[in-house]
Amino acid sequence: MAKKNRMNTAQRKQLRNKENEYIEELNKRTQEYDPKLQRATFFKDLPLCRNVLKGLSASAFVKLTAIQRESIPVSLQGHDVLAAAKTGSGKTLAFLVPVLEKLYRERWTEFDGLGALIISPTRELAMQIYEVLVKVGSQCSFSAGLVIGGKDVKYESERISKINILIGTPGRILQHLDQAVGLNASNLQMLVLDEADRCLDMGFKKTLDAIVGNLPPMRQTLLFSATQSASLADLARLSLTDYKNIGTLETGSGQQVGAANPATPDTLQQYYIDVSLPDKLDILFSFIKSHLKSKMIVFLSSGKQVHFIYETFRKMQPGISLMHLHGRQKQTARTDTLDKFVRAQQVCLFATDVVARGIDFPAVDWVVQVDCPEDADTYIHRVGRSARYGKKGKALIMLTPQEMDPFLSRLKTKKIEPEKLNIKQSKKKSIKPQLQSLLFKDPELKYLAQKAFISYIRSIYVQKDKEVFKFNEIPTEEFANSLGLPGAPKIKIKGMKAITRAKELKNSPRSLLNLAKTNEMGELEEESKPVRTKYDKMFGRKNQTVLSEHYMNITKHQTAEDDEDDFMTVKRTNHILNEQELPQLVVPTSKRGQKKALSKKASLAAKGNPTKMVFDDDGNSHPVYELEDEEDFQMRGSAESQKREFLKKETDVLSKGDKIDKQVAKERDKKRRERGSKHLEERWRRTCPGSEEPAVILGTGDLDLDMNAADESDREEPARKSRKKSNFKSAESPEEDNNAIEVEEPQTLEDLESLTARLIQG
Ligand SMILES: Nc1ncnc2c1ncn2[C@@H]1O[C@H](COP(=O)(O)OP(=O)(O)OP(=O)(O)O)[C@@H](O)[C@H]1O
């Protein structure tokens, strides 16, 4: 059978000829294609091979977007391309389709090695491109690989030699090009740089130059971005030859617009609010609480702020599922969060710019920028996470009075004019007391708050645009208070001599003037009289474990997270612990020492073997087992009869106890059930006055009660409809309800958490 199916040489030759003819014809159609005359609407109108067309239609990509219509034919004709198109307009396919076509037309096989290299600035974006490639290229026979760091280089190196299309981040790609025996780029046909200007912003210029230096000059190069900058033009000059500039700014739905139009989609509603820095967290918390049914991304300027806000808001339970994502998390956690965020419908993700560009999140309702982005381009990329591919979306940016005018004018140069939103005073609620109390109870949270404070100050200091970011005008004390801190942490700034050279500090608030008191090394002088706050006293009262662990944290600063604080650190002169107030203890200074000291096993071993004693009614101690006088024992009967008697007595005691236990458990269950239904009824009455009974109850916040409620509901028919009418009041649109709003059936655990949290909140 197998023999029958096998082709002979002649047949194989015939097939190859046929395929060559097909490719020749494709190439001819491609060269004859004139984008101006033949304005294709569908992918099938373009000169694409059948396998790519099949892959596209299997992934439901049928109609072209404008950037695809404009750039694919030009790329197919072999030109270098510099393309800019709005966020969410379909740039990924605009370069993946030509990559697949090119390799197909070159009849690329696994033995030809690396044929195309796609570089992306972030791991998340690289993974996303890889996923799209795997879908669209499903009918092609190329191998594809992803190298993004966070994985074992050796593992990657061993597999890399057989890869035809490699996607990765700049650093990791260069690492492989430099050291991998297997990676040979000498045959490379195509280089793609996605979010090329972001690669440059992130300081990858040298890495990119080094990568390009490793590649053959005869390759084709495509640069894609949603924004065009001067540095991008420089890169284009260096790495592209005789390139076509495709600068269409278009909407995701494929409608083309002129260059005079803004770089953001028309379907995106953009707003700004004028808010002082110390009020930002109050506003953010209120915003989240009034948009519980939304999917939103909240952008902050550093991972430490993300971490702090995530941890504290989580404790304050705004009523929606919260997530956080920043570059210092482990890759597995980042991937996991992204995956959950993509699938959830009602969720709030706190993030840094690690997800600002390129990541395709479906159906994001709101992008909230708590911290002002470094420039208008970053603004465009951040808001571009919403309103993708012609869908609707909203964006809100919080601007401080110092940032407002200059930043709005930066946006105006890009034809972006967000609308001003006023904050309803009735909706504003201060969360400072809650934050203060959280920080008071938990030294770790206080530590996070200090780090968040410093990283914010640092982020302002390092900004290039000094008209927007006025370091000297930061209300440091009020800002620290708004994070729940008793005062602004003292900070040590290295290399800040320029600041001490007065002019800039002339009008600075007192706290910032302290920064001027630096020594020749640029460090702040020690404070002579440290002020002890109530928090410091609290540290003194903490037990040994908490103290030693926390003490390690605040004194050592050796964690990976702290690397970036090299030039600004908490100067804890005001947190010196008074030795007399501390319990007698030795805090081990090495990690191993600390571990050993806390080890139960080690301390038990040090005490020797214990002896168990019992106490009689008079309070005298005896060993547990004492031998009785033999004569006394024999007087009470034979050993066998005594044993039987003993067993009977103990069995009676046990069975009596058993009966009592059962009775007690029964009564407790009864009471719990009563308490459970009373609690639910009460909450229901509170939430929906006047209505009869709830349609959806997912939890009460009390595990015991939940268990009872679940027991009861288990007996009922499970909900079948995807949408249910509920009489819960909508936090988003209180006026709409008529006592009835739609409740989406939760799709993921996060949705379920959000819904449950909302119900708990009432
Ligand atoms: N031709 C098409 N038909 C249908 N959907 C498409 C098409 N092209 C792209 N999309 C969808 O549009 C969304 C945005 O596409 P993509 O991520 O490529 O945008 P982008 O221009 O790269 O955005 P950004 O600048 O933010 O990276 C994706 O969900 C993608 O699946």
Side-chain angles (χ1 to χ4, degrees):
M1 278 298 280
K3 263 191 180 171
K4 260 189 194 173
N5 283 339
R6 204 178 287 161
M7 275 191 279
N8 60 34
T9 318
Q11 280 170 324
R12 271 206 303 275
K13 199 171 168 192
Q14 199 183 1
L15 200 75
R16 213 173 25 242
N17 286 342
K18 242 177 147 182
E19 194 150 8
N20 282 342
E21 278 170 27
Y22 175 66
I23 292 174
E24 251 174 55
E25 200 231 311
L26 267 179
N27 283 334
K28 193 161 166 265
R29 274 174 60 206
T30 305
Q31 293 312 323
E32 287 170 0
Y33 188 92
D34 185 343
K36 282 182 198 125
L37 295 177
Q38 295 155 278
R39 289 193 59 75
T41 308
F42 302 103
F43 281 106
K44 68 175 173 45
D45 300 334
L46 293 177
L48 299 177
C49 70
R50 38 180 113 81
N51 286 348
V52 170
L53 282 174
K54 268 193 212 164
L56 284 165
S57 78
S59 321
F61 295 126
V62 178
K63 215 172 157 196
L64 291 155
T65 66
I67 186 65
Q68 291 159 2
R69 184 171 44 242
E70 298 298 317
S71 71
I72 292 176
V74 179
S75 303
L76 291 179
Q77 285 168 351
H79 298 285
D80 281 2
V81 164
L82 170 62
K86 292 188 183 200
T87 51
S89 57
K91 292 188 286 296
T92 315
L93 284 184
F95 60 75
L96 283 183
V97 168
V99 162
L100 290 169
E101 281 290 326
K102 176 87 177 179
L103 297 190
Y104 170 71
R105 292 175 195 203
E106 292 294 332
R107 315 210 61 177
W108 212 257
T109 68
E110 65 173 290
F111 304 108
D112 297 309
L114 189 65
L117 181 61
I118 301 172
I119 303 179
S120 122
T122 63
R123 294 173 184 182
E124 281 71 17
L125 185 52
M127 285 194 286
Q128 191 179 289
I129 297 169
Y130 180 79
E131 276 167 23
V132 180
L133 175 69
V134 168
K135 272 201 287 181
V136 176
S138 59
Q139 306 297 314
C140 303
S141 52
F142 311 122
S143 55
L146 182 68
V147 290
I148 54 172
K151 276 190 196 161
D152 184 13
V153 194
K154 200 164 155 258
Y155 173 89
E156 286 176 354
S157 305
E158 282 162 12
R159 285 152 185 81
I160 215 162
S161 60
K162 290 196 181 123
I163 284 172
N164 300 140
I165 305 172
L166 187 66
I167 302 170
T169 44
R172 195 58 157 221
I173 287 179
L174 183 62
Q175 200 176 354
H176 279 294
L177 280 172
D178 278 352
Q179 41 173 262
V181 196
L183 185 62
N184 179 1
S186 58
N187 238 349
L188 190 91
Q189 301 293 308
M190 217 168 194
L191 167 69
V192 179
L193 264 162
D194 190 21
E195 301 294 348
D197 61 338
R198 173 68 170 155
C199 288
L200 297 172
D201 293 350
M202 287 173 71
F204 287 130
K205 173 88 178 71
K206 278 192 184 152
T207 315
L208 289 180
D209 287 346
I211 293 174
V212 170
N214 272 291
L215 307 178
M218 289 310 288
R219 66 178 195 270
Q220 184 183 2
T221 306
L222 313 179
L223 300 192
F224 276 78
S225 182
T227 43
Q228 276 187 320
S229 62
S231 53
L232 185 64
D234 284 347
L235 182 69
R237 267 196 298 280
L238 288 175
S239 57
L240 305 180
T241 28
D242 193 19
Y243 63 93
K244 301 277 178 196
N245 196 335
I246 301 178
T248 56
L249 290 175
E250 48 161 2
T251 59
S253 53
Q255 172 202 353
Q256 185 159 350
V257 295
N261 283 313
T264 48
D266 305 337
T267 46
L268 180 73
Q269 283 172 265
Q270 301 174 67
Y271 305 99
Y272 75 93
I273 46 173
D274 172 9
V275 56
S276 72
L277 177 63
D279 281 345
K280 277 187 179 178
L281 287 193
D282 295 343
I283 304 287
L284 177 63
F285 196 74
S286 303
F287 181 89
I288 295 174
K289 282 206 73 137
S290 54
H291 292 83
L292 297 179
K293 286 178 66 197
S294 302
K295 178 167 181 169
M296 62 182 110
I297 306 180
V298 175
F299 281 106
L300 294 142
S301 59
S302 73
K304 285 175 182 124
Q305 278 161 282
V306 165
H307 198 173
F308 169 69
I309 294 177
Y310 169 72
E311 290 298 342
T312 48
F313 278 29
R314 221 154 60 112
K315 294 209 157 52
M316 294 193 284
Q317 298 184 345
I320 186 170
S321 171
L322 303 177
M323 295 179 183
H324 70 314
L325 203 138
H326 56 84
R328 285 181 176 262
Q329 285 167 312
K330 287 215 170 104
Q331 190 54 46
T332 42
R334 279 162 71 168
T335 314
D336 191 43
T337 303
L338 273 184
D339 198 44
K340 283 181 183 155
F341 183 72
V342 165
R343 284 182 293 115
Q345 290 178 334
Q346 294 142 16
V347 60
C348 170
L349 173 71
F350 300 110
T352 57
D353 282 330
V354 73
V355 291
R357 299 197 184 209
I359 303 290
D360 185 39
F361 296 122
V364 171
D365 302 302
W366 278 98
V367 168
V368 181
Q369 303 187 55
V370 173
D371 292 331
C372 183
E374 59 178 302
D375 51 28
D377 281 352
T378 309
Y379 173 96
I380 293 168
H381 286 287
R382 282 179 175 184
V383 298
R385 296 318 100 208
S386 181
R388 294 178 72 72
Y389 192 63
K391 303 242 168 59
K392 283 187 182 168
K394 291 178 193 160
L396 171 73
I397 180 165
M398 296 188 192
L399 292 171
T400 63
Q402 294 80 14
E403 292 159 351
M404 199 167 54
D405 288 341
F407 195 72
L408 288 178
S409 77
R410 304 285 183 277
L411 291 182
K412 212 167 176 182
T413 60
K414 303 265 175 184
K415 308 275 178 300
I416 300 167
E417 295 184 61
E419 222 177 286
K420 183 168 182 179
L421 271 191
N422 290 312
I423 306 152
K424 276 189 201 154
Q425 288 307 313
S426 59
K427 290 245 166 184
K428 224 177 112 183
K429 192 180 160 262
S430 175
I431 55 165
K432 274 169 218 151
Q434 276 164 282
L435 286 173
Q436 275 167 358
S437 126
L438 284 175
L439 265 57
F440 184 80
K441 285 185 208 140
D442 188 345
E444 284 305 321
L445 280 184
K446 184 183 175 189
Y447 181 64
L448 288 184
Q450 289 172 326
K451 303 290 270 175
F453 173 91
I454 290 165
S455 69
Y456 178 79
I457 303 275
R458 176 184 190 269
S459 77
I460 299 295
Y461 176 67
V462 297
Q463 294 291 353
K464 280 194 207 124
D465 193 339
K466 302 292 179 205
E467 265 181 53
V468 175
F469 301 99
K470 297 183 181 111
F471 178 73
N472 299 334
E473 293 176 26
I474 303 171
T476 45
E477 281 301 319
E478 294 86 340
F479 175 49
N481 290 340
S482 77
L483 302 181
L485 287 167
K490 297 278 181 291
I491 45 183
K492 179 172 82 175
I493 301 182
K494 289 180 195 159
M496 286 265 300
K497 272 191 182 171
I499 288 187
T500 66
R501 269 189 240 120
K503 258 197 190 162
E504 284 182 8
L505 286 167
K506 216 163 87 188
N507 303 316
S508 303
R510 184 194 292 256
S511 52
L512 278 171
L513 277 171
N514 281 339
L515 298 177
K517 296 178 200 161
T518 52
N519 59 23
E520 314 94 79
M521 300 300 291
E523 291 174 354
L524 269 175
E525 300 291 354
E526 288 286 311
E527 297 265 305
S528 51
K529 275 190 192 165
V531 179
R532 273 175 56 77
T533 65
K534 60 180 175 181
Y535 295 91
D536 304 320
K537 288 175 194 151
M538 178 195 70
F539 280 139
R541 288 198 299 271
K542 276 280 160 191
N543 65 40
Q544 177 178 351
T545 317
V546 171
L547 176 67
S548 55
E549 205 177 26
H550 187 62
Y551 188 76
M552 291 287 192
N553 273 340
I554 60 185
T555 51
K556 289 187 103 183
H557 296 289
Q558 291 301 327
T559 61
E561 277 217 352
D562 292 329
D563 296 349
E564 75 183 46
D565 281 344
D566 276 354
F567 88 120
M568 275 196 188
T569 48
V570 185
K571 192 165 176 77
R572 300 192 59 87
T573 50
N574 59 342
H575 288 294
I576 291 168
L577 297 167
N578 188 348
E579 275 182 33
Q580 281 101 52
E581 288 177 29
L582 291 178
Q584 280 287 323
L585 60 94
V586 180
V587 181
T589 46
S590 72
K591 276 227 156 134
R592 193 191 285 180
Q594 189 189 22
K595 219 169 164 185
K596 204 175 156 197
L598 297 174
S599 150
K600 226 176 178 178
K601 215 171 157 188
S603 50
L604 280 179
K607 283 182 188 160
N609 286 337
T611 318
K612 195 169 177 181
M613 307 291 280
V614 287
F615 290 86
D616 61 22
D617 293 343
D618 301 325
N620 301 318
S621 64
H622 306 271
V624 179
Y625 301 107
E626 279 179 305
L627 276 182
E628 195 184 352
D629 186 82
E630 202 180 340
E631 268 180 33
D632 292 348
F633 179 81
Q634 279 174 355
M635 271 171 62
R636 292 208 303 274
S638 72
E640 191 51 38
S641 69
Q642 281 195 53
K643 187 176 142 196
R644 266 200 309 276
E645 206 177 308
F646 174 78
L647 283 178
K648 188 174 173 298
K649 208 168 110 195
E650 290 304 308
T651 316
D652 284 351
V653 171
L654 281 179
S655 70
K656 258 187 209 162
D658 221 20
K659 263 186 202 159
I660 294 169
D661 283 352
K662 273 184 188 157
Q663 185 62 28
V664 169
K666 221 171 164 182
E667 302 230 323
R668 197 182 50 211
D669 275 358
K670 200 174 146 204
K671 271 191 197 152
R672 263 196 197 163
R673 257 197 301 276
E674 282 168 7
R675 202 155 35 97
S677 47
K678 218 166 148 191
H679 180 93
L680 293 176
E681 268 171 31
E682 246 171 45
R683 208 193 62 213
W684 177 245
R685 258 199 302 280
R686 239 189 8 253
T687 334
C688 315
S691 56
E692 304 251 300
E693 61 176 22
V696 185
I697 295 286
L698 289 173
T700 63
D702 175 325
L703 192 61
D704 280 342
L705 296 180
D706 281 351
M707 297 304 286
N708 280 325
D711 284 344
E712 296 300 319
S713 63
D714 275 350
R715 279 172 230 138
E716 287 168 16
E717 224 188 41
R720 281 201 206 99
K721 287 180 191 161
S722 65
R723 274 169 178 271
K724 278 194 165 205
K725 284 278 181 195
S726 155
N727 290 335
F728 288 109
K729 242 190 160 102
S730 162
E732 251 177 347
S733 46
E735 66 286 351
E736 73 164 353
D737 67 340
N738 279 343
N739 261 358
I741 61 154
E742 298 253 288
V743 172
E744 298 269 349
E745 182 162 321
Q747 301 290 310
T748 66
L749 191 62
E750 283 65 38
D751 289 344
L752 191 69
E753 274 173 20
S754 289
L755 185 51
T756 310
R758 283 214 311 278
L759 298 180
I760 295 164
Q761 299 283 315

